[in-house]
Amino acid sequence: QLQLVESGGGLVQPGGSLRLSCAASGFNFDRAAVGWFRQAPGKEREGVSCITARTTTTDYADSVKGRFSISKDNAKRTSYLQMNSLKPEDTAVYYCAVIRRPYPEDCPLTEGLTDFWGQGTQVTISS
């Protein structure tokens, strides 16, 4: 069964850290490119970070550069999003998504490139 399951969200004070996980099953994760997206209340969903299938390339939205780090562990079939120096404006539901059969250079930072999504995990940054 095709699945992406996000976890690791929660309530954190400004300046804190969280690590989100995206566990994959039902498809060849080694070949997949991964993207992380978020949607804040009243706002459109936006791309946060992405990593190519062979983990040779990563990309980040300007708003998170230097604070977030994406990784992909093929042995564990899991992608991670390490989020540091969190700000209230990082509050959102965070989703992972994949391109299951990408070109080598595909790094899904836009929704249109992806073909499967997880259900999301809530991240709230508040004092």
Side-chain angles (χ1 to χ4, degrees), residues 11-118:
L11 173 62
V12 177
Q13 291 187 343
S17 297
L18 281 173
R19 188 177 79 156
L20 305 184
S21 299
C22 172
S25 60
F27 64 97
N28 192 336
F29 187 70
D30 289 17
R31 295 185 180 180
V34 180
W36 283 90
F37 298 79
R38 68 185 180 186
Q39 188 166 22
K43 294 187 177 181
E44 293 188 355
R45 192 154 52 187
E46 62 174 349
V48 174
S49 183
C50 64
I51 187 166
T52 54
R54 295 189 177 184
T55 72
T56 51
T57 301
T58 59
D59 199 6
Y60 299 89
D62 288 344
S63 58
V64 306
K65 280 181 182 176
R67 300 189 297 122
F68 289 14
S69 178
I70 190 172
S71 59
K72 181 175 180 274
D73 186 332
N74 289 330
K76 294 184 178 180
R77 303 178 57 83
T78 301
S79 174
Y80 302 98
L81 185 68
Q82 178 67 44
M83 307 188 297
N84 299 326
S85 302
L86 285 162
K87 304 175 181 180
E89 51 263 44
D90 294 320
T91 295
V93 178
Y94 283 72
Y95 302 87
C96 66
V98 295
I99 307 173
R100 285 175 287 165
R101 294 181 178 180
Y103 290 103
E105 67 275 16
D106 280 343
C107 197
L109 206 54
T110 56
E111 292 190 43
L113 294 177
T114 60
D115 58 39
F116 192 74
W117 287 70

